[in-house]
Amino acid sequence: MSQFTEFVQPQMGRIFTALGLDVEYVRAEGNTLHHRDEQGAEVPVLDLMGGYGSLILGHNHPEIVAHAHDLLDQRRAVHAQFSLREEAGRLGAALSDVVRRETSVKEPYVATFGNSGAEAVEAAVKHAELVRVRAVAELADSVAAHVERAREAVGRGEAVVDADAFHAPAVRERAPEGEGIEALLAAVGAHNTAALATRPLFLALERSFHGKLVGSVQLTYNSGFRTPFAHLGTRVRFVPMDRPELLDAIADEERVTLLDVETDGGRVRVVERDLPVITAFLVEPVQGEGGIHALTVEQGRAIRLFCNKVGTALIIDEVQSGLGRCGAFLASSLIGLRGDYYTLSKSLGGGLAKISAMLVRKSLYQGEFDIIHSSTFAMDDFSSGVARKVVELLEAGDGQLYRQVTERGERLTAVLNDLKAAYPDVIEDVRGKGLFLGVQLRDQGGARSMVLRGSAYTGSLGYLLSGYLLRQERIRIAPTGSAGNVLRIQPSAYLTDEEIEQVRGALDRLCRILRHEDTLHLVHPASDRRIPKPRAEIRDFRGTLPGYEQDAPRPVTGPVRKVAFLNHLIEPAHLRQVDPALADLSDAALRSFVLGMDPVKKAAPYPGVRIDSPLGSAVEFALYPLMVSSEQMGGYLASGDVTGIRADIEERVQAARDDGCAVAGLGMYTSIVTNNCTSLRVPGIALTSGNALTVAMGVQAMERGAQDRGWKVEDATLAVVGAAGNIASVYSQLFAERLGRIVLVGSRRDGSVRRLRNTVHGIYQECWSRIAAGGELTGIPARLAEEPLITKWLAEGPGGDDAGRGRAIAEHLQERYGSDPFLTVTQDSAALREAQLVLAASNSPEPFLTGEHFADGAVICDIAVPNNVVPGVTEQRPDLAYMLGGIVATPNGESLHPSARAFLEAGQLFACMAETALMGLAGLDRHYSYGNISRQQVIDIAALADAHGLRLADYKSAHSV
Ligand code: F0G
């Protein structure tokens, strides 16, 4: 594992690996990054991510590198805090000049430097709030002075309180009319104290991104980033960019007034004054992280007018859009928008330094901000010097570079628009300004390919494509952080025609891949790279998979409930069933793809299949797949490291509940790794492992197997291998009521005999319960009923030590017959040959039962995971009936989506699935098979299944789990 993954970003590191983005870049120049291939040779990559937009001058621009060398060679005093930092001064002057030139504003700007974009944003936020609190204090002081003046004037008899003064609503609530000046002033004071406690409000746009520090993250729209820290922060309201008309309503809702008293013409009156509550409005002229959305001239104008009207500061965040990125120093200047504050960063550092600047109009600047805001590394000579060089390069030749950005941007945009015209089914939109471009891809939620549908479901389509573009096309593009279907394209101003053509070719192929759903090209880069790509051409896979359209549901008389069933990949090779484009990938490639996807296991749910009960109710039965193989599941169990997979399962159950499912069934290994659901903590949804109906159907399947071979279960001996577990014991208890003899075969490990004795006691205990309950007896209980011990107990009537009866029976039989005539315990697997029925349930890590172990024509049910019987046993022994359990037929032939059936045929469900559906049909709203199951649960669920038309279809004979 890489040290980055181990020590720096454990989660992202794994995701990079999963997507094929796990490269280390060793060299960078202009628009090109280099990493090394497996042989150590440098691989050039066209970099369109450009350092999240911080490389308008490209990587390692020669003049900036030379200038940086110069600064170092001169032994500059990089950190000389508490002195005249003239390098920063010169940079401040240069920035002020450029902004004034571009916005035609006379007033200079004062710069506060920092180290990152978020820091600049927070400096602006702090400064604006300082301005606001100063204004509030001034207002409060003037009110206090007016209050004193009124009190004195009334005291001297020079003025009287105007009757109207008590009519202001805030006064009327607190002081009745006709009270004196003191009552009036007390009411005014109480109102004002409450008003002054109002927390400031910030406005920002929906989809905004202003940083991720404690303060700035509050202004960032993506709730995933923001809400965990909501308690730490300021009050922010987000406004949709295209609805500036909402602003006035917000101002009205947020309006807070102070009450002031005027003394004039011998009368004291109460007047309202607006309290400044909205500290600032933050806008990005072109939103980057939120998906490349540019403000229009009209939107900008509406925002500026609003700020003027309510007297709030406009902070223009040019961290990403500025420094030439959009074809001007400030993107806002292109729409004629002027700010009170500007934040700059990213390209300001020229790709070498970390620097940001917050510029504020000089007349607004609060001198004390110098002291109450600081940052050790800010204003250092190195970054200031580099940034000054950047400004010089940007401004050289009368803005030649800005024109170049515009021209290159137009050329690249034309290519992207050509692609959009050619692939309107793939590309939804091309937008942006200058070299700040976004390509929005259409949603793939309706694709038939499971890989594409899954990427739409997890919002990761853009990331999947990034892997392809990097590995196959040697182009580095990533989607924007908060819009996973928008590819963000931010090259340097030096993008060449050849590079633009490279982009055209690559995106053309990518569009063809998406149109044709040929996911092989997307999955291969995310698999083991030592495995060569099996084919280069793009094939059309549309139409090779059935769609998800379903017939309109039949009307039902009862309720329709949604239920979810969690399944997972049995083997990676099964991906070929759900995504035929992957057919040419080897098992090894598919396996490494699935292993790599470990950090993102969830896949898109299959639309619900409607199943109707003859009793009138219905369910929508939806699969919630996890992209994890049985092999991986076995690995988690073997290592004991189940925390991660349990969290993944819990997340799927929550998603099912949030989608409105009343029941979640845990299929295959998901029930095992959660100890049959008991590890999950998800309120509001009923869970089941499906084990009860699985046992019921297993018993029925064995019966049918016996019937097919012309003999009866009643006449058979049953052998149970590994009988100590819950499910095997319940099987044994059920069979004990049917037949005369059971052989319990333990492993050769210590303690196995003792554990099996407990199973024996459990079986006899159940037998006694049957006998004590009265009624007709069969199997072992019928024979036990003739034992003198039992007749004695029955004569004694109820009472006594009921819990110990099982053991007492076993001891009685041993004493009376020398050996137990009904239940035999052994560690010798040769005993299997005496049995016509075999239940294999041992937790051996390897299959160990072969053809030699079984009697002629035996019926074997292998419920062990992994299986106990070696694969291919029926080829060696065609006389055997080998099954893994029962398959259930749906009431009206309802079927899973053909690609999700695994070993099932149309009209069939696995028994655990059927139990999940049944809970919905029967309206069972509590957990059913949860933890250990009992014989009674099996009997009850079997009866319920029968009533709802879910019956044994067949026994499954393939190795499936
Ligand atoms: N403001 C804007 C407009 C930004 O795009 C960013 C960062 C910041 C502030 C914060 O800057 O990361 O230096 O603290 N944008 C990056 C992006 C992360 O993905 O676009 P920072």
Side-chain angles (χ1 to χ4, degrees), residues 52 115-119 121 209-213 284 286 288-289 317-321 343 345-346 481 488 490:
Y52 284 156
N115 306 285
S116 68
E119 220 186 301
V121 167
F209 188 93
H210 296 293
K212 288 185 181 167
L213 296 184
E284 292 158 89
V286 179
E289 203 270 353
D317 185 347
E318 295 262 15
V319 162
Q320 186 155 202
S321 56
T343 54
S345 187
K346 300 222 185 219
R488 175 161 121 177
Q490 297 183 276

